[in-house]
Every structure is written in C-alpha cells, then in structure tokens.
Amino acid sequence: MKPQIIVCGLGRTGYRIFSLLRQQGASVVGISNQPIPGETLGLIVGELDSATSLLSAGIIDAHTLVIAADDDALNLAILVQARVLNPKIQIINRLFNTRLGDRLDRTLPDHTTMSVSALAAPVFAFAAQGNQAIGQLQLFNQTWPIHEEYIDAHHPWCNRSLSELWDDRNRMLIYYLPTNSETDLISAVTQKRHLQIGDRLIIATKPSIRNSRKTFLTQLNKLVVSLRQFQQHSQSSLSIAFTLIAMILCATLTYTTVNSHISLVDSLYFSVGMITGAGGKEEVAEQSPDSIKLLTALMMLVGTGVIGICYALLNDWILGTRFRQLLEATPLPRKHHYIVCGLGGVGIQIINQLHGHGHEVIAIERDPNSRFLSTASSLKIPVIHGDASMATVLESANITRAEALIAVTSNDTINLEIALTAKGIAPKIPAIVRTTDPHFARLSQQVFEFDAVLSPIDLAAPSFAAAALGGRILGNGMTADSLWVALATRITELHPFCSLRIKEAAMAADFVPLYLETNCQTIHGWDLLETCLSAGDVLYLTMPATQLEQLWRATPSSELMAS
C-alpha cells in the first residue's frame, strides 16, 4: 500500500508539490485555507493549523506531512499540532529561516527542513555559468548539475557506445530515454548499445572549482582598484588639504617678497599661525604695507573657513565611519565576475554557490537594511547600494566585462527591467532572470531571448515531492513530465535488493546505480555492476518516483539515507 501523504498549504509552492505528487501516482491529500477552482478530489478546506483540518486529511494514519505555507510562524504551528496528533509522522517542512530549520532537524526525529531558495540557487548559478541544468545532485560533498543531452545528427555522442560513457568519473549517467525502444540504461550499457538520433540522456557532471589562489597580477590589480577607490572617497578631503597648503605657501612667498629682511622660516611660521588662528610673529604683518595687512585680514577669514572644513573632514574620517568603511570595503572586480541583483534569500544562496566555486561576485541591493548584508560582508563580497534597473548602477558594477548578470529580486517586473537594461548596455552578456510564474518564464525567455528565465518554485517543488516520496533525497529532476529521484538506501536482510547483483537489480527495478559504499570502500563503474549487495551496504541510485513503491514495501524510511 502506498504511504498517505498530506500537503498542508496550497499556495504557489504547495499546489505545485501537490500536483507533482498526484501526477506521480502518490496517495496525496491537500489542505488549503480557501477553495481552489476546479479542485474537489483530495482537498480539505480549512485552517491550516487546525486539528480538525489535519484529522479530516487523515493525519493519524498518514506517513508524511509536507508543510508548504509561506509563513514560518504558521508552519511551526502546523508542525506542533501535527506532532501532537501523530508523533511518528515524517515531516517535510518549508522554512525561510534555515538556521532554525537546522536546529529542528537535530532536535526532532523524522523532520526535514527544506528551503526553496537553497534548492533553486544552484540551478541559477549553473545557468549563469552556461550550464542549462534541469536539476542537481549531491555527491561527494559537492553539488553536481544535471542536464539533458538530446542526441541529434551533429551531437558528438551520436553513434557512440553507452559503455564508453559509463566509466567516466567526471560524469554520472542518470537516466536513458531511447527514441525507439523501452530499454533501461543498465541494459543498454551492458549490451553496448549505441546512441541514436532522437535519444535523450540525463547526466550529472562534476562541478569545476576555480583555483582560489591569487596570482601576483590579480593581487596587483586589486591593489590598483583599492587605490582608485581611496582616491574617489578621499577626493574632497585632499582638495581641501591642497587648498590649505596652497594658501600657506602663497602667504609665505608674499611676505618674503614684500619685505626682504624677513626670513623664509619666519614668514612660514607667521603664515601658519595666521591661517590656523594660533598666532605668532605678528611683526611680520605689522612691518608690511597696508595692502598686505588687508590681504592678511582676508586670508585670516578664509583660513578660518578652510580650517573648519579640514577639522570636520578629519573628524569624519577618524572618529566617524567613513575610514572604517573604506578599510573594510572589498574592491570591485574589474572583469570575469558575476553580478547578482537582489540580496534576498535566493540571491545570497546564489552568491554562496558562486563564491564556493572560486568565482568573483558583485551584489547590487537597493535596501540598506537587508538582513543578508552582513553575510555578504563576511564573504568579502562587494555590495553596491542602488537600483539595479538604472544603467549607471550597472555600469559601476563593470557590467561590460562581467561573465553574467543574475536578476533575482522579489519583483518579477523589476527583474525584467534589470535584464533589459543590462542587455541595452552589454548586448552579449548572459542574463538569468527570476520569475514566480513558470508559464511566464517560458514565454518571456522566448520573447526576450534571455539565456534563462527560472522560477524558484518550479525548481524546488520536485525536491519537496521527492522528499515526501522517498525520505532523504540526494537530488531530483523532471524529464518529460516524469519525476526521478536520487537517494541512498541501506541494504538490510529484508531489502528487496539484498543478495542480488547490482546489474540484475537495476534491470529488474529500472534504477541506475551511481556508486556503492561497502567495507569502507567506494565502488564505481564496471565493478559496481558486478557487485552483489549484502546487508550493511549503502547503495546510491536514481530511479523514477513511480518506482519508489518497491522500496516502501520492504525498506523503512529510516533506512533511506542522505550523503
């Protein structure tokens, strides 16, 4: 019998998860706080955190509860009420506060926190790097992008044997969709089948990490940029300082020219004292003609204003925040960097992803009180405060020499405006745009010819659905309306795959083995296919979500593991 799944909170994200689960044939019930036009079957309308609503949805006998509302406080209220009614239910909880989610995961059994931002960000980052990912896979403590290869007459893999691709450690074959047959991937590999025109192959590629060591030229370039920034910030202070010095020198030369009996040192001493108000050597002016005395009076008045301005600027630099901000400011990269517009939940996750792979990033944020500014500062990411839809702001981020622009503010219209402005300045720059409407994403990408228009909800919903279906998930993706998941399953004596060769189990159950952890070693490639599974092994695999029922029959959810 299929486990009962409840999706609580049918907003944009929740309804997408609900639809995916139903599409994959899962037994699912949704709870919404308002009626949904056209939806009656499997829908409970009521307060999301109400015991009555949860009981009507079958919380007592349910296996999994997906909490998908867009309010952390409401999601926590649902969590508490659900655990009172069914202490053993597995909970997939959507939370914006990931730190709180981590604490809940460590405190509560069978509780998994998931974030739409964290799930969508890697795909945005991969798209900015030119990789049109359809999903992601967590392997060997890295996030591998997953994409689809469509084999046409000009594809380099056309007529190439699948067995040649199987043993490459820099890629993982995930799924195979032949055009003229129903052959599974493992059967095609063992039979040394050749890729034909029209075939589709889903693969995960090992991410490349840029060398983080700084070359001498890079360090020199950053030093030059820092000096330029210092010059820009201190331009007014330097102008006043030069004016003061010029006044002193002018007065000194004037007094020595008028009266040759006055030494240069005495004239300089008097000039400094006169302009600063300290006084001293007044006889220099007293022995001068009336015109010089008038000039002296005028310079005293002007000097008072100049000295006042100097003291104010000096106070601002030393006692204020400008000097500290300049010292802490990270120089703006000049070229080969990524520009992220919008320092929200998705934006900061994208920055983390790009920075973790050794790329330089500039963030643009219009809100000076953004809660992620401190996070960006800790990563040494320069932040430009301004409206990214303005050409001058994008130009200050050196957009003409950037690798890509990623517009991920919370407003779809602003994201579109930012991307169009960027294309007006740098027509060839790759533009990655965020939208909340998956239908609009497809249309706008076609009309405006952006490199990618992505919906975080569309990207994250399959991960929620996969987690509800199969426990802790390593990755997932959508192919031809079919959801497939990657997971790690511990082999027990009662497991349906126990004592079988992996090749035989894969052909029978239509899964693709990735690698095996057994006896403190990891097995890949051809050796993996010939290995017999035994109790205690951990098998990492991908399989269609519709086939996960084979694991439900014999494998408790606690035996489904994450890497």
Side-chain angles (χ1 to χ4, degrees):
M1 178 180 179
K2 295 182 179 180
Q4 174 77 24
I5 301 172
I6 300 173
V7 180
C8 190
L10 299 186
R12 284 182 178 270
T13 304
Y15 186 70
R16 178 63 174 151
I17 297 168
F18 176 76
S19 301
L20 280 174
L21 289 169
R22 190 165 56 181
Q23 180 181 318
Q24 305 307 313
S27 177
V28 58
V29 175
I31 303 177
S32 175
N33 57 3
Q34 59 185 0
I36 298 177
E39 290 286 351
T40 54
L41 186 64
L43 179 65
I44 304 296
V45 179
E47 295 296 327
L48 302 183
D49 58 348
S50 166
T52 303
S53 299
L54 292 169
L55 289 170
S56 299
I59 189 73
I60 301 299
D61 299 318
H63 177 270
T64 303
L65 170 66
V66 180
I67 305 175
D70 56 4
D71 184 331
D72 280 4
L74 178 57
N75 288 348
L76 290 174
I78 298 170
L79 162 65
V80 173
Q81 185 64 260
R83 275 295 165 91
V84 169
L85 297 174
N86 184 351
K88 296 183 179 180
I89 191 169
Q90 178 183 345
I91 292 180
I92 311 299
N93 199 353
R94 176 193 180 188
L95 288 177
F96 294 91
N97 190 334
T98 54
R99 288 179 297 180
L100 173 61
D102 291 338
R103 294 187 180 97
L104 289 174
D105 290 345
R106 291 193 295 267
T107 303
L108 300 176
D110 295 322
H111 180 279
T112 302
T113 299
M114 301 184 75
S115 163
V116 171
S117 300
L119 292 168
V123 180
F124 276 88
F126 293 141
Q129 297 172 66
N131 193 329
Q132 298 297 329
I134 62 171
Q136 55 179 302
L137 185 62
Q138 296 292 331
L139 288 178
F140 309 115
N141 298 318
Q142 291 181 307
T143 303
W144 293 44
I146 298 172
H147 60 276
E148 179 177 338
E149 293 284 350
Y150 178 80
I151 309 301
D152 57 23
H154 304 289
H155 197 285
W157 292 353
C158 186
N159 295 321
R160 188 173 176 182
S161 173
L162 279 166
S163 59
E164 297 177 19
L165 304 175
W166 174 256
D167 209 24
D168 189 339
R169 298 294 177 86
N170 291 320
R171 72 169 67 96
M172 292 279 185
L173 302 188
I174 302 298
Y175 209 66
Y176 175 51
L177 296 167
T179 185
N180 295 321
S181 68
E182 298 294 331
T183 307
D184 63 274
L185 177 61
I186 300 305
S187 297
V189 168
T190 55
Q191 296 169 9
K192 298 184 178 180
R193 181 187 175 100
H194 289 74
L195 289 169
Q196 304 296 320
I197 295 175
D199 289 354
R200 288 184 292 171
L201 190 63
I202 312 301
I203 64 173
T205 54
K206 186 176 181 179
S208 58
I209 299 179
R210 179 177 292 183
N211 191 347
S212 60
R213 291 186 303 173
K214 307 297 183 184
T215 64
F216 173 76
L217 289 178
T218 303
Q219 293 176 336
L220 182 61
N221 180 61
K222 287 200 169 186
L223 177 61
V224 171
V225 173
S226 298
L227 291 175
R228 286 176 179 172
Q229 286 185 318
F230 177 81
Q231 181 184 8
Q232 293 173 357
H233 283 80
S234 60
Q235 189 171 3
S236 57
S237 300
L238 291 175
S239 298
I240 295 296
F242 286 138
T243 302
L244 179 62
I245 294 172
M247 288 180 63
I248 293 173
L249 292 176
C250 181
T252 300
L253 293 174
T254 299
Y255 293 125
T256 54
T257 301
V258 171
N259 191 342
S260 59
H261 299 292
I262 300 174
S263 68
L264 185 63
V265 174
D266 287 342
S267 180
L268 176 63
Y269 181 76
F270 172 72
S271 299
V272 173
M274 172 194 63
I275 292 175
T276 60
K281 279 289 182 180
E282 283 79 2
E283 60 270 18
V284 172
E286 292 173 354
Q287 300 173 7
S288 302
D290 291 344
S291 58
I292 299 301
K293 290 179 180 179
L294 291 174
L295 177 63
T296 301
L298 178 63
M299 295 190 70
M300 284 180 179
L301 295 174
V302 175
T304 301
V306 173
I307 289 297
I309 295 174
C310 281
Y311 284 152
L313 291 173
L314 185 64
N315 181 69
D316 183 44
W317 270 90
I318 303 301
L319 301 180
T321 60
R322 184 175 300 192
F323 187 62
R324 178 172 57 84
Q325 289 174 348
L326 183 59
L327 288 177
E328 294 176 354
T330 304
L332 294 175
R334 307 292 296 178
K335 58 182 178 180
H336 304 314
H337 58 282
Y338 294 86
I339 301 174
V340 178
C341 304
L343 201 57
V346 176
I348 196 65
Q349 293 288 350
I350 294 171
I351 288 172
N352 276 323
Q353 183 79 12
L354 292 170
H355 182 264
H357 284 78
H359 299 286
E360 292 189 302
V361 184
I362 294 178
I364 302 177
E365 173 58 43
R366 68 189 305 173
D367 182 7
N369 300 314
S370 172
R371 64 191 182 100
F372 295 110
L373 286 174
S374 57
T375 305
S377 177
S378 66
L379 295 173
K380 303 296 183 183
I381 301 298
V383 180
I384 297 176
H385 297 280
D387 186 351
S389 63
M390 303 294 292
T392 53
V393 175
L394 292 177
E395 288 169 351
S396 68
N398 303 315
I399 189 171
T400 55
R401 306 185 73 182
E403 291 286 336
L405 176 131
I406 310 171
V408 286
T409 73
S410 57
N411 188 303
D412 290 357
T413 304
I414 292 177
N415 290 335
L416 179 62
E417 184 179 2
I418 291 171
L420 291 174
T421 303
K423 285 290 188 180
I425 302 171
K428 294 184 179 180
I429 190 171
I432 315 301
V433 183
R434 171 189 178 181
T435 181
T436 55
D437 186 347
H439 179 66
F440 177 76
R442 290 186 288 271
L443 293 179
S444 58
Q445 183 169 356
Q446 181 179 353
V447 171
F448 299 110
E449 297 183 350
F450 295 136
D451 293 79
V453 181
L454 304 172
S455 166
I457 293 173
D458 219 26
L459 296 173
S463 295
F464 281 86
L469 290 170
R472 301 285 291 196
I473 298 298
L474 305 175
N476 62 86
M478 291 290 299
T479 306
D481 294 328
S482 296
L483 173 66
W484 53 262
V485 298
L487 53 88
T489 179
R490 186 182 298 278
I491 305 300
T492 63
E493 294 181 354
L494 298 178
H495 197 286
F497 302 157
C498 189
S499 301
L500 294 177
R501 278 198 308 169
I502 291 179
K503 179 170 63 175
E504 297 168 353
M507 292 178 182
D510 191 21
F511 71 82
V512 178
L514 301 177
Y515 64 95
L516 178 71
E517 291 181 351
T518 178
N519 298 326
C520 300
Q521 63 175 329
T522 302
I523 301 177
H524 304 264
W526 292 106
D527 294 337
L528 174 65
L529 296 180
E530 301 300 328
T531 302
C532 277
L533 293 167
S534 57
D537 293 348
V538 178
L539 178 62
Y540 293 77
L541 57 90
T542 64
M543 68 189 313
T546 53
Q547 301 296 323
L548 286 174
E549 189 177 358
Q550 299 174 80
L551 302 181
W552 296 339
R553 289 198 298 264
T555 307
S557 62
S558 60
E559 293 175 7
L560 294 175
M561 304 175 57
S563 61

